[in-house]
């Protein structure tokens, strides 16, 4: 069960080029996570400690996991992902045990990047958690904090986390020496949507009429994950119609379908 709770990727293949928009966010992640691993001497020369932990926050499907994977790729670090929900366990001590295992594994595999997704599952304000396993969740969070407090900022293990519910977080995890660098990852704007669509259609056979700017305008409100689904679905429309080329109409039909699916009970694309 322990192995299943973590996703370990010795060399993730996501690069910064795979990420649409988020230019300034990428720069911030590079500065806070990549530079300390690739150029520790810069921090030594100036005499400052790099940030302890980096928290990515913002709406779902916007590329937070991609950012963490890309930075692992560019530092040749092992990517170790754990979902916060996995740390919420029934049995006493099980969550804390997992946290210890997580940090132990990272040390064995260094350079390594620990990525805790949905950290709010274990680090919400007390008043907001109404579960009966409350005390146990609290214990798991304390274990996480103590691992971070005993952590060497100059070492070769970096910690990142992500949340869609920043407002729910217990401020204790944001103190200096813990998640002390916050990076907001927003929904894509027009320009970012056009870029994300370009990235996800790179391998597709497209009609010449394809106008990314128009598609970006017509997909306002869709996040990166939904835009990716849109490109796949557009391809499906072309196939159904026995065509090898994907047209603007295919993208528009795909958009209609996505919106319909989102409004119905059918499982949506994630
Ligand atoms: P969640 O909060 O739901 O875990 P997330 O912000 O971590 O979401 P990712 O898992 O990084 O989102 O993105 C999911 C998928 O959506 C990616 O695998 C990618 O295909 C697509 N995607 C999301 N954002 C972007 C982006 N900025 N550029 C390109 N693709 C994106």
């Amino acid at each position: 069960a322990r192995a299943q709770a973590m996703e370990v990727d010795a060399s993730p293949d996501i690069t910064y080029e795979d990420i649409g928009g988020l230019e300034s966010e990428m720069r911030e992640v590079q500065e806070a996570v990549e530079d300390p691993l690739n150029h520790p001497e810069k921090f030594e020369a100036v005499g400052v400690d790099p940030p302890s932990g980096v928290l990515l926050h913002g709406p779902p499907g916007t590329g937070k996991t991609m950012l963490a994977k890309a930075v692992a790729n560019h530092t040749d670090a092992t990517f170790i992902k754990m979902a916060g929900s996995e740390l919420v366990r029934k049995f006493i001590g099980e969550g804390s045990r997992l946290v210890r295992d997580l940090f132990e594994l990272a040390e064995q595999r260094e350079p390594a990047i620990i990525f805790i997704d949905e950290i709010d599952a274990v680090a919400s304000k007390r008043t907001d958690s109404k579960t009966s396993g409350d005390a146990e969740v609290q214990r798991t969070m304390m274990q996480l904090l103590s691992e971070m407090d005993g952590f060497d900022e100059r070492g070769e293990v970096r910690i990142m986390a992500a949340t869609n519910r920043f407002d729910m977080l217990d401020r204790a995890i944001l103190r200096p020496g813990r998640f002390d660098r916050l990076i907001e990852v927003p929904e894509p704007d027009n320009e970012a949507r056009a870029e994300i669509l370009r990235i996800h259609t790179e391998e597709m056979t497209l009609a010449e009429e394809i106008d990314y700017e128009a598609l970006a305008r017509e997909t306002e409100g869709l996040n990166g994950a939904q835009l990716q689904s849109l490109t796949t679905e557009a391809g499906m429309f072309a196939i159904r119609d026995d065509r090898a080329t994907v047209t603007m109409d295919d993208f528009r039909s795909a958009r209609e379908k996505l919106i319909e699916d989102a409004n119905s009970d059918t499982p949506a694309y994630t």
Side-chain angles (χ1 to χ4, degrees), residues 41-77:
E41 72 284 355
K42 285 188 191 173
F43 291 83
E44 262 150 50
V46 178
V48 293
D49 282 334
S52 277
V54 172
L55 178 72
L56 306 172
H57 64 99
T62 47
K64 295 185 286 298
T65 308
M66 288 184 100
L67 273 173
K69 278 193 176 163
V71 78
N73 177 355
H74 287 259
T75 52
D76 289 322

Side-chain angles (χ1 to χ4, degrees), residues 165-184:
R165 320 173 83 172
F166 181 70
D167 53 308
M168 301 231 326
L169 290 184
D170 189 324
R171 300 290 127 171
I173 74 157
L174 306 179
R175 281 194 208 129
R178 296 170 177 173
F179 291 100
D180 48 13
R181 179 63 65 95
L182 308 178
I183 301 176
E184 185 176 355

Side-chain angles (χ1 to χ4, degrees), residues 80-95:
I80 306 174
K81 178 178 154 179
M82 168 88 81
S85 55
E86 288 279 353
L87 291 171
V88 178
R89 296 276 160 159
K90 266 206 305 268
F91 298 109
I92 292 186
E94 212 181 339

Side-chain angles (χ1 to χ4, degrees), residues 4-256:
Q4 277 169 1
M6 295 181 213
E7 174 196 322
V8 181
D9 190 342
S11 54
D13 53 11
I14 300 267
T15 72
Y16 296 121
E17 287 75 52
D18 297 324
I19 302 175
L22 307 183
E23 273 83 21
S24 64
E25 292 77 10
M26 279 190 248
R27 266 199 306 280
E28 285 185 70
V29 169
Q30 284 171 326
E31 193 184 285
V33 190
E34 191 176 315
D35 283 352
L37 282 172
N38 287 351
H39 305 288
E41 72 284 355
K42 285 188 191 173
F43 291 83
E44 262 150 50
V46 178
V48 293
D49 282 334
S52 277
V54 172
L55 178 72
L56 306 172
H57 64 99
T62 47
K64 295 185 286 298
T65 308
M66 288 184 100
L67 273 173
K69 278 193 176 163
V71 78
N73 177 355
H74 287 259
T75 52
D76 289 322
T78 303
F79 179 75
I80 306 174
K81 178 178 154 179
M82 168 88 81
S85 55
E86 288 279 353
L87 291 171
V88 178
R89 296 276 160 159
K90 266 206 305 268
F91 298 109
I92 292 186
E94 212 181 339
S96 327
R97 173 85 249 170
L98 274 171
V99 171
R100 277 201 298 277
D101 288 350
L102 180 63
F103 280 78
E104 224 173 84
L105 180 69
E107 236 160 70
Q108 286 162 8
R109 298 288 194 94
E110 66 175 19
I113 290 177
I114 294 176
F115 179 66
I116 305 175
D117 201 7
E118 323 160 33
I119 191 157
D120 45 276
V122 279
S124 281
K125 286 175 209 152
R126 257 171 252 224
T127 47
D128 284 326
S129 51
K130 295 179 184 76
T131 52
S132 52
D134 209 12
E136 187 50 21
V137 169
Q138 199 65 20
R139 235 190 311 270
T140 304
M141 181 177 95
M142 297 314 271
Q143 183 64 38
L144 178 63
L145 295 184
S146 106
E147 293 284 351
M148 291 191 80
D149 289 345
F151 187 71
D152 177 12
E153 279 93 357
R154 299 263 175 97
E156 292 212 274
V157 178
R158 316 300 314 165
I159 308 173
M160 301 180 75
T163 182
N164 307 323
R165 320 173 83 172
F166 181 70
D167 53 308
M168 301 231 326
L169 290 184
D170 189 324
R171 300 290 127 171
I173 74 157
L174 306 179
R175 281 194 208 129
R178 296 170 177 173
F179 291 100
D180 48 13
R181 179 63 65 95
L182 308 178
I183 301 176
E184 185 176 355
V185 181
E187 297 231 343
D189 59 13
N190 250 322
E191 207 182 308
R193 285 197 303 280
E195 217 187 306
I196 293 169
L197 286 167
R198 270 203 191 86
I199 290 167
H200 288 291
T201 51
E202 208 153 47
E203 316 251 283
M204 288 170 64
T205 312
L206 300 177
E208 250 177 74
E209 62 170 6
I210 294 299
D211 178 347
Y212 286 103
E213 276 63 40
L215 286 177
R217 280 193 303 275
E218 292 170 29
T219 51
E220 186 166 6
L222 299 192
N223 63 30
Q226 291 166 324
L227 290 169
Q228 198 226 330
S229 302
L230 182 86
T231 61
T232 306
E233 199 53 59
M236 297 299 295
F237 273 102
I239 291 168
R240 259 175 234 137
D241 212 20
D242 222 3
R243 275 179 287 110
T245 310
V246 183
T247 63
M248 282 297 268
D249 270 347
D250 292 327
F251 280 96
R252 287 173 179 143
S253 309
R255 185 179 146 269
E256 293 312 307

